[in-house]
Amino acid sequence: MSALEKPVGSLKEVGSAREKAFREVGVETVGDLLRFFPTRHLDRATSLDAAQAWTRLVEGFEGEMTIVGEAVDMKTKYPRRREMLQVAFADEKGVFEAVWFRGAKFVKPRIEIGEWYAVGGKPSDPKRGVLQFAHPDFERMTDDESKRYHTGGLIPVYPKPRALKEGYLGEFSLRRIIKDALDRYGDEIEETLPREILERRELPDLARSIRDVHFPESREALDAATRRLKYEELFEFELAAALKRGEAKGRAGIAHKARAEELRAFVETLPFELTPSQREAFKAIYDDLRAPRPTHRLLHGDVGSGKTVVALLAAFVAVQNGYQVAFMAPTEILAAQHFQTIETLLDPYRRASGDPITVAFAAGGVNARAHRASREMIRSGHAKIVVGTHALFEESVEFANLGLAIVDEQHRFGVRQRLDLRKKGTAPDLLVMSATPIPRTLAMTLYGDLDVAAIKRSPKGRRPIVTAVRGENALPAVYEWVAERAKAGVQSYLVFPLVEESEKLPLKSVVKEYESLVATRLKGLRTGLLHGKMKWEEKEEAMRKFAAGEYDALATTTVVEVGVDVPTANIMIVHNAERFGLSQLHQLRGRVGRGKEKGYCVLIADDRIVADLERELPPLETASAAELDRYRAAIRMRAMIEERDGFKIAEIDLKLRGPGDYFGVRQSGAPQFRFANLREDFATLEAAKEDAFALAEKDPGLRSPEHAALRRSFAKRAHEKLEVAGAG
Ligand code: ADP
Ligand code: MG
């Protein structure tokens, strides 16, 4: 057994209470302890003499410092009736003091008059006329440098979850325990990355890096160690994807037959010509379907680029081969729309060919009888295409022979759900559609386990949507315009951030605003209400009426964000627009201008933001962090006005927020890294990806002896990997 596998309780100073506390934060072995990393470091590298320190302080220095001095006096005082311990220190150049208002009991027995101590911390205001530290870290000077834990270098600050505090593991003891463990066992840390990669990427080895990330000898050493640990995280992340992908490629899947005749006949009955972009994307998917390995592909395209029909062509091929297809959407509304679209697109073909191609609808909200009937159709194999929501994942849905799963709006589906679905067929093909314009580079890197087919251009003839930002004070005029356009038959979406009013958020709610609009500004218009808290039938009804032109306006929330397609709706008003994500706004905007008429998107924002927009805003590339903070909202609104291309918007979003947030809480598959930050470390991610895929290609089972340590480290964290790699 490697010493690193010993229980943490085997270390001196770690009794059973502390062992238990460590266990609660996931530290079980010595190896785990060495990977209990600090969150930051205090710079106590330069120790000063008392005179230098004083000069610096009066010159306005505000950081930490360390001074070495002899304890010359110790007093307990009672200013304002509180106990205070005051210790005076001196070196050959001057004096300084340290005070404690708390913990005197701990400090007193540890300081002995006549001994020398290193005292480190941030000194108090020099106005008192003496250099004073409140609650500094301190330690007795000995000849043994290795026994310096808290002063005289870059000193680690560890996270302090409650469990540790309760186990009496404070800053001091943590530093001591970890440093002693490093000194004793640090050399046993095994290198996991191939030597060749370390050399080519100029990274320090793992043992050195782990040591330096705790107690670095210099800023440079800390930076190098951090760089190595970032690389390692990203490398293992990409390796998980690379291995998954290799495995998927090796697995036996369905080799669909071409059925070119039927396909051609179907395409001929479509109400429009496929664009070259759509053809190209479909070609890639078609090749996948016919290959004897499982399809595992991301179909990627901007809002309105026409992904649905491409996916339907894939479904058609699977159906012609005698398989069932599951077609899933994140919301009931969207599933219902897909169902409608598919029915409409299939109808002419059905009539021409006499082939019924039955489509079933399976969502959570439909009534019990319809529910049972559709389950039965799916089980018997009568239903060829099954359109639905997450309900499709329920155990009660059994497929006769599922051959292809199509998942729309992939970012709303968790990795787990993707896995669950795949359990429903032997090895069903998987086609994931994303309308959220992930920057292509990022998609390729994050979804390394999926092949990507992109629809690069939207169908021609669509006119750009006019986008404007208006302040709250322009609302009367905006609504006057909405009412006037309604008379000309133009429908509007009115989007609000909240369903119901909230005391915590000063934002508009659709329920309240709907009531007031109906009574005032939109009086006389036919206005519908649609939000996520309504019953399924009500939502369905509202959506149907709006699509049928029975409403002039629809007050709603972001439930209309994804995929809803009403070609006669051409005005999109978004309230509290600054509170929405850029990609979300782009999605909302994509709801209009889908027909022949020009589309308009009006973003209602805070008046202050509108004022900012009239100024010269700093360009995104050169904006400082402070400028970004100040003008973020205005920069985002400007991006909406100036950019139409979802990918460009996504790139801007990425720059403004970083990919972690970019995926947000919605993206349950988004990776969480301890060191790496995808915004800053994108180049590292690319490098790691290149290396990981090359390695997986060379040694797909990690069997070569030089990869043994990597395989072990990998196996140990395999569970986490599955979660982060989005591997389905
Ligand atoms: P998305 O990629 O956002 O899911 P959809 O598949 O909903 O886009 O397509 C958007 C609209 O474009 C739909 O109304 C659809 O009928 C239409 N459409 C799709 N392909 C074409 C095409 N080749 N030519 C004209 N219109 C098309
Ligand atoms: Mg869509």
Side-chain angles (χ1 to χ4, degrees):
M1 185 169 85
S2 147
L4 298 179
E5 285 163 39
K6 283 192 197 168
V8 67
S10 67
L11 296 171
K12 81 173 188 277
E13 278 207 66
V14 183
S16 63
R18 283 179 166 178
E19 185 171 20
K20 179 163 162 281
F22 271 132
R23 204 170 314 122
E24 270 178 51
V25 297
V27 172
E28 307 220 344
T29 64
V30 174
D32 295 338
L33 180 69
L34 299 188
R35 280 185 171 268
F36 187 76
F37 293 124
T39 45
R40 63 193 177 97
H41 289 80
L42 301 173
D43 189 355
R44 295 183 183 149
T46 39
S47 80
L48 304 168
D49 67 40
Q52 289 166 330
W54 177 249
T55 313
R56 271 221 203 172
L57 187 63
V58 288
E59 280 169 4
F61 176 78
E62 290 194 341
E64 292 247 342
M65 49 174 80
T66 300
I67 318 178
V68 176
E70 182 188 354
V72 291
D73 189 28
M74 176 149 51
K75 282 196 199 92
T76 304
K77 293 185 169 175
Y78 294 89
R80 283 181 233 133
R81 293 219 217 107
R82 281 175 62 197
E83 183 178 6
M84 175 183 91
L85 180 70
Q86 184 179 46
V87 182
F89 295 90
D91 66 6
E92 50 278 16
K93 296 289 173 57
V95 295
F96 60 97
E97 62 185 43
V99 294
W100 283 269
F101 297 95
R102 281 171 273 114
K105 251 215 297 281
F106 170 84
V107 177
K108 238 182 201 162
R110 285 175 173 75
I111 294 185
E112 225 173 287
I113 301 299
E115 289 293 328
W116 285 74
Y117 295 84
V119 182
K122 190 167 154 10
S124 318
D125 196 313
K127 274 192 220 112
R128 347 177 142 262
V130 57
L131 194 148
Q132 185 186 74
F133 295 102
H135 300 120
D137 286 351
F138 66 96
E139 63 200 328
R140 191 154 166 171
M141 299 298 290
T142 62
D143 293 338
D144 184 356
E145 280 272 338
S146 76
K147 294 292 171 230
R148 301 270 298 277
Y149 303 97
H150 318 297
T151 55
L154 287 166
I155 302 302
V157 178
Y158 292 97
K160 273 168 278 214
R162 199 187 349 199
L164 289 192
K165 284 195 206 135
E166 284 169 0
Y168 298 102
L169 278 160
E171 199 82 81
F172 276 53
S173 35
L174 267 178
R175 283 182 197 145
R176 252 189 344 259
I177 292 167
I178 291 174
K179 183 142 194 277
D180 288 347
L182 275 170
D183 288 345
R184 254 188 94 185
Y185 301 115
D187 289 341
E188 310 215 8
I189 296 170
E190 245 185 333
E191 182 52 60
T192 53
L193 292 175
R195 190 72 15 226
E196 179 272 320
I197 291 183
L198 291 184
E199 278 164 20
R200 194 157 37 83
R201 301 290 179 193
E202 299 184 345
L203 299 167
D205 67 42
L206 186 58
R208 172 87 267 148
S209 303
I210 289 195
R211 236 185 256 277
D212 283 348
V213 94
H214 288 284
F215 291 91
E217 265 159 27
S218 63
R219 195 43 78 178
E220 291 70 46
L222 176 60
D223 290 346
T226 309
R227 213 155 45 75
R228 143 86 206 214
L229 293 167
K230 281 178 173 179
Y231 178 89
E232 177 177 279
E233 278 178 341
L234 297 170
F235 178 81
E236 293 197 354
F237 171 70
E238 290 296 342
L239 187 61
L243 294 175
K244 259 268 143 5
R245 173 148 150 173
E247 204 184 292
K249 286 229 160 112
R251 229 179 307 157
I254 305 163
H256 293 275
K257 298 213 173 57
R259 312 300 297 232
E261 204 98 323
E262 290 92 335
L263 195 55
R264 199 166 307 125
F266 178 41
V267 170
E268 257 163 38
T269 62
L270 291 175
F272 41 69
E273 285 275 311
L274 292 176
T275 64
S277 259
Q278 284 171 316
R279 283 175 188 279
E280 199 184 309
F282 177 66
K283 167 108 185 19
I285 298 165
Y286 192 39
D287 288 345
D288 282 354
L289 290 173
R290 285 176 301 162
R293 53 181 170 77
T295 300
H296 205 184
R297 195 173 274 272
L298 176 69
L299 172 60
H300 202 225
D302 203 351
V303 190
S305 61
K307 292 180 293 297
T308 318
V309 68
V310 173
L312 181 59
L313 292 177
F316 183 85
V317 173
V319 171
Q320 293 302 324
N321 274 272
Y323 291 97
Q324 286 174 299
V325 177
F327 203 123
M328 281 173 305
T331 65
E332 287 168 1
I333 290 182
L334 188 53
Q337 282 246 336
H338 275 322
F339 178 72
Q340 280 307 323
T341 306
I342 291 171
E343 287 283 66
T344 314
L345 290 174
L346 281 175
D347 244 6
Y349 177 78
R350 285 172 175 148
R351 264 181 274 126
S353 68
D355 182 351
I357 313 186
T358 309
V359 184
F361 185 64
V366 291
N367 71 47
R369 184 135 47 87
H371 197 78
R372 263 199 310 278
S374 85
R375 299 296 125 128
E376 190 42 45
M377 271 170 45
I378 300 166
R379 186 166 35 236
S380 67
H382 181 63
K384 300 300 179 204
I385 299 178
V386 182
V387 185
T389 60
H390 302 93
L392 277 184
F393 296 110
E394 282 169 17
E395 289 303 320
S396 66
V397 183
E398 277 171 46
F399 287 86
N401 63 340
L402 180 62
L404 169 64
I406 297 171
V407 181
D408 193 7
E409 301 299 342
Q410 185 269 341
H411 63 291
R412 295 216 166 167
F413 279 88
V415 175
R416 281 280 149 240
Q417 289 158 326
R418 272 162 73 187
L419 288 173
D420 283 351
L421 183 80
R422 286 172 64 102
K423 283 194 219 119
K424 300 225 177 258
T426 29
D429 289 320
L430 178 67
L431 179 63
V432 171
M433 293 195 276
S434 176
T436 298
I438 312 165
R440 228 178 306 267
T441 41
L442 188 60
M444 303 285 277
T445 310
L446 290 182
Y447 298 100
D449 66 320
L450 299 178
D451 298 303
V452 181
I455 304 183
K456 296 183 192 98
R457 277 214 179 72
S458 297
K460 267 206 285 291
R462 210 163 276 153
R463 287 197 269 167
I465 300 155
V466 178
T467 305
V469 179
R470 294 284 179 270
E472 296 285 335
N473 61 16
L475 271 181
V478 169
Y479 274 103
E480 226 166 86
W481 172 68
V482 166
E484 196 191 292
R485 298 305 299 150
K487 288 193 198 107
V490 177
Q491 293 163 283
S492 301
Y493 292 99
L494 318 171
V495 174
F496 298 90
L498 301 180
V499 174
E500 276 152 10
E501 263 192 300
S502 151
E503 289 188 355
K504 288 187 211 100
L505 296 166
L507 301 175
K508 294 190 178 165
S509 77
V510 68
V511 169
K512 175 145 179 270
E513 297 296 321
Y514 167 76
E515 273 174 22
S516 110
L517 283 171
V518 167
T520 58
R521 290 183 182 133
L522 297 184
K523 204 166 172 170
L525 292 193
R526 301 163 303 164
T527 304
L529 174 67
L530 172 69
H531 60 73
K533 286 196 184 159
M534 283 164 45
K535 285 210 198 74
W536 157 249
E537 294 80 7
E538 295 168 348
K539 281 193 276 191
E540 167 84 325
E541 180 67 1
M543 206 53 231
R544 191 195 58 74
K545 280 186 157 171
F546 187 63
E550 291 170 34
Y551 287 141
D552 301 307
L554 185 67
T556 182
T557 56
T558 52
V559 291
V560 298
E561 176 195 342
V562 271
V564 169
D565 192 24
V566 179
T568 44
N570 279 307
I571 296 176
M572 167 63 65
I573 312 274
V574 186
H575 294 83
N576 299 116
E578 70 272 20
R579 304 304 287 259
F580 291 87
L582 268 191
S583 297
Q584 213 174 11
L585 289 175
H586 182 68
Q587 290 274 342
L588 285 169
R589 176 167 66 181
R591 299 305 111 221
V592 297
R594 294 171 85 88
K596 287 174 205 74
E597 298 299 318
K598 206 177 179 84
Y600 295 87
C601 175
V602 183
L603 304 173
I604 308 291
D606 200 89
D607 290 330
R608 197 191 69 137
I609 294 167
V610 178
D612 281 349
L613 267 177
E614 276 157 24
R615 297 175 208 217
E616 188 98 0
L617 291 173
L620 191 52
E621 281 65 37
T622 55
S624 68
E627 281 174 327
L628 272 188
D629 261 0
R630 168 71 181 79
Y631 294 113
R632 185 172 277 117
I635 293 176
R636 292 167 69 234
M637 294 301 117
R638 182 184 61 185
M640 288 302 296
I641 296 172
E642 289 177 357
E643 291 296 344
R644 316 215 143 87
D645 178 345
F647 289 105
K648 293 229 179 77
I649 289 182
E651 300 279 359
I652 295 173
D653 212 15
L654 190 66
K655 283 198 189 114
L656 282 169
R657 301 205 282 168
D661 300 340
Y662 178 80
F663 288 103
V665 279
R666 289 208 225 145
Q667 173 59 25
S668 40
Q672 294 289 323
F673 296 115
R674 171 69 185 73
F675 289 98
N677 163 343
L678 288 178
R679 167 143 66 147
E680 287 162 14
D681 304 320
F682 200 70
T684 311
L685 179 65
E686 301 268 76
K689 176 179 186 177
E690 194 186 310
D691 296 347
F693 274 72
L695 189 142
E697 178 107 352
K698 236 180 20 206
D699 183 10
L702 302 184
R703 302 217 184 287
S704 110
E706 66 162 336
H707 300 148
L710 179 61
R711 187 177 63 233
R712 274 194 296 277
S713 142
F714 205 69
K716 205 158 132 197
R717 275 173 283 167
H719 181 67
E720 301 160 35
K721 293 290 159 35
L722 181 69
E723 294 292 337
V724 296

